[in-house]
Amino acid sequence: MIQEVIVTTQNAEGKTHIAPMGIHVQEDEIIILPFRPSTTLTNILALKSAVINYCDDVRIFAGCLTGKRDWPLSPAHKIEGHYLSAALAHKELELIKIADDKTRPKLFFKAIHSVNHAPFQGFNRAQYSVLEAAILVSRLHMLPPEKIATEIEYLRIGLDKTAGTKEREAWDWLMASIDHQQLKQPQV
Ligand SMILES: Cc1cc2nc3c(=O)[nH]c(=O)nc-3n(C[C@H](O)[C@H](O)[C@H](O)COP(=O)(O)O)c2cc1C
């Protein structure tokens, strides 16, 4: 199963980096797969640890893709690093194995500490729409504009019916980013 989470990592100077990642989870095994080049990958290789944050504030997913990475953090309990103060739950991870690859290495972890901070609030279609739109933004350079337009049109249905203020704010950041990046691309 793939879970969409926020991964927080720290560099050798103590600076925290946050990035959305789809992590692979099977029983006790947790795999993070960063595409090269990646600050997340560099930090994990330096400190051999990471934190995964289960988070329903989708502004953090959208923010990371649109230049807003400054979210409140709290110190991790058992490793060097931080978790997101907005996380519903977090897990502190130790790196146990690497399957190297020139495009997308597999980093295998075990959780050494898990904390629940707040209850799950139920599924929300607007949050799904924001996550999918954030993934589109991360692949904008690879996708034709017509595909982006069609997918956004569909995702907007759930957004319009079910969003709260956080989901709307996140959606607006992503739409502004799509408009901005498409204006920069040469028209063919
Ligand atoms: C929901 C979601 C899942 C993502 N999953 C991955 C992933 O598994 N691996 C990856 O390299 N990037 C993934 N991305 C894109 C990264 O978050 C983004 O490119 C980020 O900047 C990673 O590079 P960094 O570690 O240098 O920040 C995902 C983005 C979103 C919105």
Side-chain angles (χ1 to χ4, degrees), residues 37-64:
S38 155
T39 306
T40 301
L41 175 62
T42 306
N43 289 355
I44 288 171
L45 296 180
L47 266 70
K48 314 278 186 266
S49 62
V51 177
I52 52 174
N53 299 269
Y54 296 95
C55 191
D56 65 355
D57 185 343
V58 287
R59 293 177 307 172
I60 304 175
F61 290 84
C64 287

PDB file of all heavy atoms in Angstrom, residues 37-64:
ATOM      1  N   PRO A  37      17.689  14.268  -8.455  1.00  0.00           N
ATOM      2  CA  PRO A  37      18.313  14.639  -7.198  1.00  0.00           C
ATOM      3  C   PRO A  37      17.257  15.015  -6.168  1.00  0.00           C
ATOM      4  O   PRO A  37      16.158  15.454  -6.550  1.00  0.00           O
ATOM      5  CB  PRO A  37      19.150  15.869  -7.586  1.00  0.00           C
ATOM      6  CG  PRO A  37      18.376  16.504  -8.701  1.00  0.00           C
ATOM      7  CD  PRO A  37      17.671  15.386  -9.425  1.00  0.00           C
ATOM      8  N   SER A  38      17.569  14.874  -4.895  1.00  0.00           N
ATOM      9  CA  SER A  38      16.574  15.132  -3.866  1.00  0.00           C
ATOM     10  C   SER A  38      17.245  15.504  -2.552  1.00  0.00           C
ATOM     11  O   SER A  38      18.144  14.801  -2.078  1.00  0.00           O
ATOM     12  CB  SER A  38      15.733  13.862  -3.685  1.00  0.00           C
ATOM     13  OG  SER A  38      15.167  13.801  -2.413  1.00  0.00           O
ATOM     14  N   THR A  39      16.783  16.600  -1.974  1.00  0.00           N
ATOM     15  CA  THR A  39      17.293  16.997  -0.649  1.00  0.00           C
ATOM     16  C   THR A  39      16.934  15.937   0.383  1.00  0.00           C
ATOM     17  O   THR A  39      17.725  15.623   1.277  1.00  0.00           O
ATOM     18  CB  THR A  39      16.676  18.366  -0.250  1.00  0.00           C
ATOM     19  OG1 THR A  39      16.938  19.293  -1.290  1.00  0.00           O
ATOM     20  CG2 THR A  39      17.240  18.886   1.051  1.00  0.00           C
ATOM     21  N   THR A  40      15.731  15.368   0.242  1.00  0.00           N
ATOM     22  CA  THR A  40      15.309  14.312   1.176  1.00  0.00           C
ATOM     23  C   THR A  40      16.316  13.162   1.152  1.00  0.00           C
ATOM     24  O   THR A  40      16.745  12.667   2.201  1.00  0.00           O
ATOM     25  CB  THR A  40      13.898  13.808   0.776  1.00  0.00           C
ATOM     26  OG1 THR A  40      12.992  14.911   0.822  1.00  0.00           O
ATOM     27  CG2 THR A  40      13.409  12.715   1.702  1.00  0.00           C
ATOM     28  N   LEU A  41      16.708  12.746  -0.051  1.00  0.00           N
ATOM     29  CA  LEU A  41      17.665  11.642  -0.187  1.00  0.00           C
ATOM     30  C   LEU A  41      19.013  12.012   0.450  1.00  0.00           C
ATOM     31  O   LEU A  41      19.576  11.239   1.242  1.00  0.00           O
ATOM     32  CB  LEU A  41      17.856  11.302  -1.667  1.00  0.00           C
ATOM     33  CG  LEU A  41      18.921  10.259  -1.981  1.00  0.00           C
ATOM     34  CD1 LEU A  41      18.582   8.906  -1.353  1.00  0.00           C
ATOM     35  CD2 LEU A  41      19.087  10.096  -3.502  1.00  0.00           C
ATOM     36  N   THR A  42      19.525  13.199   0.135  1.00  0.00           N
ATOM     37  CA  THR A  42      20.816  13.630   0.690  1.00  0.00           C
ATOM     38  C   THR A  42      20.772  13.624   2.217  1.00  0.00           C
ATOM     39  O   THR A  42      21.688  13.136   2.889  1.00  0.00           O
ATOM     40  CB  THR A  42      21.151  15.057   0.185  1.00  0.00           C
ATOM     41  OG1 THR A  42      21.076  15.045  -1.234  1.00  0.00           O
ATOM     42  CG2 THR A  42      22.523  15.507   0.623  1.00  0.00           C
ATOM     43  N   ASN A  43      19.678  14.164   2.772  1.00  0.00           N
ATOM     44  CA  ASN A  43      19.569  14.240   4.238  1.00  0.00           C
ATOM     45  C   ASN A  43      19.487  12.853   4.871  1.00  0.00           C
ATOM     46  O   ASN A  43      20.089  12.592   5.909  1.00  0.00           O
ATOM     47  CB  ASN A  43      18.325  15.054   4.628  1.00  0.00           C
ATOM     48  CG  ASN A  43      18.495  16.532   4.335  1.00  0.00           C
ATOM     49  OD1 ASN A  43      19.569  16.965   3.931  1.00  0.00           O
ATOM     50  ND2 ASN A  43      17.438  17.303   4.540  1.00  0.00           N
ATOM     51  N   ILE A  44      18.711  11.964   4.232  1.00  0.00           N
ATOM     52  CA  ILE A  44      18.567  10.608   4.803  1.00  0.00           C
ATOM     53  C   ILE A  44      19.915   9.892   4.790  1.00  0.00           C
ATOM     54  O   ILE A  44      20.292   9.234   5.761  1.00  0.00           O
ATOM     55  CB  ILE A  44      17.494   9.809   4.027  1.00  0.00           C
ATOM     56  CG1 ILE A  44      16.103  10.360   4.356  1.00  0.00           C
ATOM     57  CG2 ILE A  44      17.576   8.310   4.370  1.00  0.00           C
ATOM     58  CD1 ILE A  44      14.978   9.802   3.496  1.00  0.00           C
ATOM     59  N   LEU A  45      20.662  10.048   3.700  1.00  0.00           N
ATOM     60  CA  LEU A  45      21.959   9.378   3.635  1.00  0.00           C
ATOM     61  C   LEU A  45      22.926   9.962   4.673  1.00  0.00           C
ATOM     62  O   LEU A  45      23.780   9.257   5.206  1.00  0.00           O
ATOM     63  CB  LEU A  45      22.547   9.480   2.218  1.00  0.00           C
ATOM     64  CG  LEU A  45      21.724   8.755   1.137  1.00  0.00           C
ATOM     65  CD1 LEU A  45      22.363   8.913  -0.230  1.00  0.00           C
ATOM     66  CD2 LEU A  45      21.541   7.264   1.476  1.00  0.00           C
ATOM     67  N   ALA A  46      22.763  11.247   4.991  1.00  0.00           N
ATOM     68  CA  ALA A  46      23.656  11.882   5.981  1.00  0.00           C
ATOM     69  C   ALA A  46      23.336  11.425   7.403  1.00  0.00           C
ATOM     70  O   ALA A  46      24.239  11.070   8.169  1.00  0.00           O
ATOM     71  CB  ALA A  46      23.552  13.400   5.877  1.00  0.00           C
ATOM     72  N   LEU A  47      22.056  11.423   7.779  1.00  0.00           N
ATOM     73  CA  LEU A  47      21.712  11.148   9.181  1.00  0.00           C
ATOM     74  C   LEU A  47      21.134   9.749   9.417  1.00  0.00           C
ATOM     75  O   LEU A  47      20.907   9.357  10.555  1.00  0.00           O
ATOM     76  CB  LEU A  47      20.719  12.202   9.713  1.00  0.00           C
ATOM     77  CG  LEU A  47      21.374  13.377  10.426  1.00  0.00           C
ATOM     78  CD1 LEU A  47      22.120  14.282   9.477  1.00  0.00           C
ATOM     79  CD2 LEU A  47      20.363  14.171  11.222  1.00  0.00           C
ATOM     80  N   LYS A  48      20.869   9.000   8.323  1.00  0.00           N
ATOM     81  CA  LYS A  48      20.319   7.630   8.408  1.00  0.00           C
ATOM     82  C   LYS A  48      18.982   7.586   9.149  1.00  0.00           C
ATOM     83  O   LYS A  48      18.661   6.619   9.858  1.00  0.00           O
ATOM     84  CB  LYS A  48      21.315   6.667   9.112  1.00  0.00           C
ATOM     85  CG  LYS A  48      22.749   6.784   8.631  1.00  0.00           C
ATOM     86  CD  LYS A  48      22.971   5.997   7.351  1.00  0.00           C
ATOM     87  CE  LYS A  48      24.414   5.961   6.913  1.00  0.00           C
ATOM     88  NZ  LYS A  48      24.805   6.985   5.960  1.00  0.00           N
ATOM     89  N   SER A  49      18.214   8.671   9.014  1.00  0.00           N
ATOM     90  CA  SER A  49      16.920   8.706   9.701  1.00  0.00           C
ATOM     91  C   SER A  49      15.957   9.621   8.942  1.00  0.00           C
ATOM     92  O   SER A  49      16.368  10.379   8.060  1.00  0.00           O
ATOM     93  CB  SER A  49      17.085   9.208  11.138  1.00  0.00           C
ATOM     94  OG  SER A  49      17.581  10.529  11.127  1.00  0.00           O
ATOM     95  N   ALA A  50      14.687   9.517   9.296  1.00  0.00           N
ATOM     96  CA  ALA A  50      13.644  10.377   8.714  1.00  0.00           C
ATOM     97  C   ALA A  50      12.432  10.308   9.631  1.00  0.00           C
ATOM     98  O   ALA A  50      12.325   9.429  10.486  1.00  0.00           O
ATOM     99  CB  ALA A  50      13.261   9.884   7.312  1.00  0.00           C
ATOM    100  N   VAL A  51      11.514  11.260   9.419  1.00  0.00           N
ATOM    101  CA  VAL A  51      10.232  11.234  10.136  1.00  0.00           C
ATOM    102  C   VAL A  51       9.134  11.225   9.091  1.00  0.00           C
ATOM    103  O   VAL A  51       9.205  11.980   8.110  1.00  0.00           O
ATOM    104  CB  VAL A  51      10.077  12.472  11.054  1.00  0.00           C
ATOM    105  CG1 VAL A  51       8.709  12.480  11.728  1.00  0.00           C
ATOM    106  CG2 VAL A  51      11.185  12.529  12.093  1.00  0.00           C
ATOM    107  N   ILE A  52       8.118  10.352   9.274  1.00  0.00           N
ATOM    108  CA  ILE A  52       6.943  10.452   8.403  1.00  0.00           C
ATOM    109  C   ILE A  52       5.799  11.047   9.213  1.00  0.00           C
ATOM    110  O   ILE A  52       5.594  10.706  10.384  1.00  0.00           O
ATOM    111  CB  ILE A  52       6.553   9.100   7.756  1.00  0.00           C
ATOM    112  CG1 ILE A  52       6.409   8.000   8.777  1.00  0.00           C
ATOM    113  CG2 ILE A  52       7.546   8.716   6.680  1.00  0.00           C
ATOM    114  CD1 ILE A  52       5.883   6.698   8.169  1.00  0.00           C
ATOM    115  N   ASN A  53       5.090  11.972   8.551  1.00  0.00           N
ATOM    116  CA  ASN A  53       4.017  12.725   9.196  1.00  0.00           C
ATOM    117  C   ASN A  53       2.708  12.432   8.488  1.00  0.00           C
ATOM    118  O   ASN A  53       2.599  12.656   7.274  1.00  0.00           O
ATOM    119  CB  ASN A  53       4.298  14.225   9.095  1.00  0.00           C
ATOM    120  CG  ASN A  53       5.591  14.631   9.777  1.00  0.00           C
ATOM    121  OD1 ASN A  53       5.593  14.973  10.956  1.00  0.00           O
ATOM    122  ND2 ASN A  53       6.714  14.575   9.048  1.00  0.00           N
ATOM    123  N   TYR A  54       1.724  11.917   9.243  1.00  0.00           N
ATOM    124  CA  TYR A  54       0.381  11.689   8.702  1.00  0.00           C
ATOM    125  C   TYR A  54      -0.404  12.966   8.973  1.00  0.00           C
ATOM    126  O   TYR A  54      -0.570  13.351  10.134  1.00  0.00           O
ATOM    127  CB  TYR A  54      -0.267  10.484   9.384  1.00  0.00           C
ATOM    128  CG  TYR A  54       0.476   9.203   9.093  1.00  0.00           C
ATOM    129  CD1 TYR A  54       1.448   8.714   9.970  1.00  0.00           C
ATOM    130  CD2 TYR A  54       0.223   8.513   7.921  1.00  0.00           C
ATOM    131  CE1 TYR A  54       2.146   7.552   9.684  1.00  0.00           C
ATOM    132  CE2 TYR A  54       0.913   7.343   7.629  1.00  0.00           C
ATOM    133  CZ  TYR A  54       1.876   6.865   8.515  1.00  0.00           C
ATOM    134  OH  TYR A  54       2.565   5.719   8.227  1.00  0.00           O
ATOM    135  N   CYS A  55      -0.864  13.588   7.887  1.00  0.00           N
ATOM    136  CA  CYS A  55      -1.297  14.973   8.028  1.00  0.00           C
ATOM    137  C   CYS A  55      -2.528  15.238   7.156  1.00  0.00           C
ATOM    138  O   CYS A  55      -2.509  14.894   5.975  1.00  0.00           O
ATOM    139  CB  CYS A  55      -0.110  15.820   7.564  1.00  0.00           C
ATOM    140  SG  CYS A  55      -0.282  17.509   7.935  1.00  0.00           S
ATOM    141  N   ASP A  56      -3.588  15.816   7.735  1.00  0.00           N
ATOM    142  CA  ASP A  56      -4.768  16.109   6.910  1.00  0.00           C
ATOM    143  C   ASP A  56      -4.854  17.596   6.531  1.00  0.00           C
ATOM    144  O   ASP A  56      -5.840  18.017   5.925  1.00  0.00           O
ATOM    145  CB  ASP A  56      -6.057  15.621   7.594  1.00  0.00           C
ATOM    146  CG  ASP A  56      -6.347  16.357   8.888  1.00  0.00           C
ATOM    147  OD1 ASP A  56      -5.515  17.191   9.318  1.00  0.00           O
ATOM    148  OD2 ASP A  56      -7.409  16.100   9.485  1.00  0.00           O
ATOM    149  N   ASP A  57      -3.846  18.390   6.894  1.00  0.00           N
ATOM    150  CA  ASP A  57      -3.812  19.786   6.436  1.00  0.00           C
ATOM    151  C   ASP A  57      -3.126  19.783   5.063  1.00  0.00           C
ATOM    152  O   ASP A  57      -1.900  19.797   4.958  1.00  0.00           O
ATOM    153  CB  ASP A  57      -3.035  20.661   7.423  1.00  0.00           C
ATOM    154  CG  ASP A  57      -3.088  22.133   7.037  1.00  0.00           C
ATOM    155  OD1 ASP A  57      -3.427  22.427   5.866  1.00  0.00           O
ATOM    156  OD2 ASP A  57      -2.775  22.992   7.886  1.00  0.00           O
ATOM    157  N   VAL A  58      -3.960  19.755   4.012  1.00  0.00           N
ATOM    158  CA  VAL A  58      -3.404  19.581   2.664  1.00  0.00           C
ATOM    159  C   VAL A  58      -2.658  20.819   2.164  1.00  0.00           C
ATOM    160  O   VAL A  58      -1.994  20.780   1.138  1.00  0.00           O
ATOM    161  CB  VAL A  58      -4.482  19.150   1.637  1.00  0.00           C
ATOM    162  CG1 VAL A  58      -4.879  17.701   1.859  1.00  0.00           C
ATOM    163  CG2 VAL A  58      -5.683  20.073   1.662  1.00  0.00           C
ATOM    164  N   ARG A  59      -2.752  21.931   2.928  1.00  0.00           N
ATOM    165  CA  ARG A  59      -1.956  23.109   2.551  1.00  0.00           C
ATOM    166  C   ARG A  59      -0.468  22.774   2.606  1.00  0.00           C
ATOM    167  O   ARG A  59       0.332  23.357   1.875  1.00  0.00           O
ATOM    168  CB  ARG A  59      -2.253  24.275   3.498  1.00  0.00           C
ATOM    169  CG  ARG A  59      -3.662  24.813   3.366  1.00  0.00           C
ATOM    170  CD  ARG A  59      -3.908  25.901   4.369  1.00  0.00           C
ATOM    171  NE  ARG A  59      -3.586  25.450   5.720  1.00  0.00           N
ATOM    172  CZ  ARG A  59      -3.547  26.220   6.789  1.00  0.00           C
ATOM    173  NH1 ARG A  59      -3.803  27.508   6.691  1.00  0.00           N
ATOM    174  NH2 ARG A  59      -3.263  25.723   7.974  1.00  0.00           N
ATOM    175  N   ILE A  60      -0.087  21.824   3.473  1.00  0.00           N
ATOM    176  CA  ILE A  60       1.340  21.491   3.587  1.00  0.00           C
ATOM    177  C   ILE A  60       1.806  20.754   2.326  1.00  0.00           C
ATOM    178  O   ILE A  60       2.888  21.029   1.802  1.00  0.00           O
ATOM    179  CB  ILE A  60       1.621  20.703   4.882  1.00  0.00           C
ATOM    180  CG1 ILE A  60       1.123  21.531   6.083  1.00  0.00           C
ATOM    181  CG2 ILE A  60       3.116  20.391   5.017  1.00  0.00           C
ATOM    182  CD1 ILE A  60       1.226  20.853   7.430  1.00  0.00           C
ATOM    183  N   PHE A  61       0.981  19.857   1.795  1.00  0.00           N
ATOM    184  CA  PHE A  61       1.307  19.178   0.532  1.00  0.00           C
ATOM    185  C   PHE A  61       1.401  20.205  -0.595  1.00  0.00           C
ATOM    186  O   PHE A  61       2.370  20.231  -1.347  1.00  0.00           O
ATOM    187  CB  PHE A  61       0.239  18.129   0.184  1.00  0.00           C
ATOM    188  CG  PHE A  61       0.243  16.920   1.082  1.00  0.00           C
ATOM    189  CD1 PHE A  61      -0.425  16.925   2.295  1.00  0.00           C
ATOM    190  CD2 PHE A  61       0.921  15.771   0.711  1.00  0.00           C
ATOM    191  CE1 PHE A  61      -0.412  15.808   3.126  1.00  0.00           C
ATOM    192  CE2 PHE A  61       0.940  14.649   1.532  1.00  0.00           C
ATOM    193  CZ  PHE A  61       0.265  14.673   2.742  1.00  0.00           C
ATOM    194  N   ALA A  62       0.351  21.044  -0.705  1.00  0.00           N
ATOM    195  CA  ALA A  62       0.334  22.045  -1.784  1.00  0.00           C
ATOM    196  C   ALA A  62       1.440  23.075  -1.581  1.00  0.00           C
ATOM    197  O   ALA A  62       2.086  23.506  -2.547  1.00  0.00           O
ATOM    198  CB  ALA A  62      -1.035  22.729  -1.823  1.00  0.00           C
ATOM    199  N   GLY A  63       1.683  23.446  -0.327  1.00  0.00           N
ATOM    200  CA  GLY A  63       2.700  24.457  -0.025  1.00  0.00           C
ATOM    201  C   GLY A  63       4.090  24.014  -0.466  1.00  0.00           C
ATOM    202  O   GLY A  63       4.842  24.790  -1.041  1.00  0.00           O
ATOM    203  N   CYS A  64       4.424  22.750  -0.198  1.00  0.00           N
ATOM    204  CA  CYS A  64       5.761  22.258  -0.579  1.00  0.00           C
ATOM    205  C   CYS A  64       5.969  22.338  -2.089  1.00  0.00           C
ATOM    206  O   CYS A  64       7.096  22.516  -2.547  1.00  0.00           O
ATOM    207  CB  CYS A  64       5.948  20.819  -0.126  1.00  0.00           C
ATOM    208  SG  CYS A  64       6.169  20.655   1.637  1.00  0.00           S
TER     209      CYS A  64
END
